[in-house]
Amino acid sequence: NHGYAEWGFGLKTQLGTIQGQIDLWGRIDNQVYILDYKTGSSFYSEKAISQLSRYSECLKKMNFIKPADQVHLVVLYPFEEKIVIEHSDYTKINTIFTIV
């Protein structure tokens, strides 16, 4: 009831339309979790976190992330049995685009 799996979205911006599909995201009270499953190497986790950061920007622009929210970007590497987590909040989510 609090989350969305394989959640596709489109967002029109001044740079064009941004489309994506978030593996899993959800909210528990003021905690927003954005998760991505990766079958490749965790060596590229910085790139995966960057992707989740862009997703958080889109969720913020669509008003799914609120000023009081804490945001957790989570990358799961099931074959390595590894989890990479980055914590953020509303003020740290940069937006490089405006909605048109």
Side-chain angles (χ1 to χ4, degrees):
N1 292 337
H2 302 286
Y4 306 91
E6 300 298 327
W7 192 77
F9 67 90
L11 184 64
K12 289 186 180 184
T13 73
Q14 87 276 10
L15 302 174
T17 300
I18 297 173
Q19 294 181 330
Q21 182 166 314
I22 302 172
D23 289 348
L24 180 67
W25 81 274
R27 163 187 300 285
I28 300 172
D29 299 321
N30 287 357
Q31 305 294 311
V32 175
Y33 297 87
I34 306 171
L35 288 84
D36 197 20
Y37 298 96
K38 296 293 187 191
T39 56
S41 169
S42 61
F43 179 78
Y44 301 102
S45 63
E46 187 175 309
K47 184 177 178 182
I49 290 291
S50 177
Q51 176 186 2
L52 292 178
S53 293
R54 295 290 176 242
Y55 289 163
S56 71
E57 290 177 39
C58 292
L59 289 171
K60 180 179 177 179
K61 281 292 189 182
M62 291 184 282
N63 295 316
F64 286 111
I65 295 177
K66 307 295 182 189
D69 290 341
Q70 291 295 309
V71 179
H72 311 280
L73 308 177
V74 182
V75 186
L76 303 171
Y77 295 92
F79 298 120
E80 294 183 20
E81 297 181 2
K82 184 173 182 179
I83 300 172
V84 176
I85 302 172
E86 184 173 300
H87 305 282
S88 188
D89 65 31
Y90 186 87
T91 60
K92 292 180 186 174
I93 299 173
N94 297 322
T95 51
I96 59 171
F97 52 83
T98 56
I99 298 176
V100 290

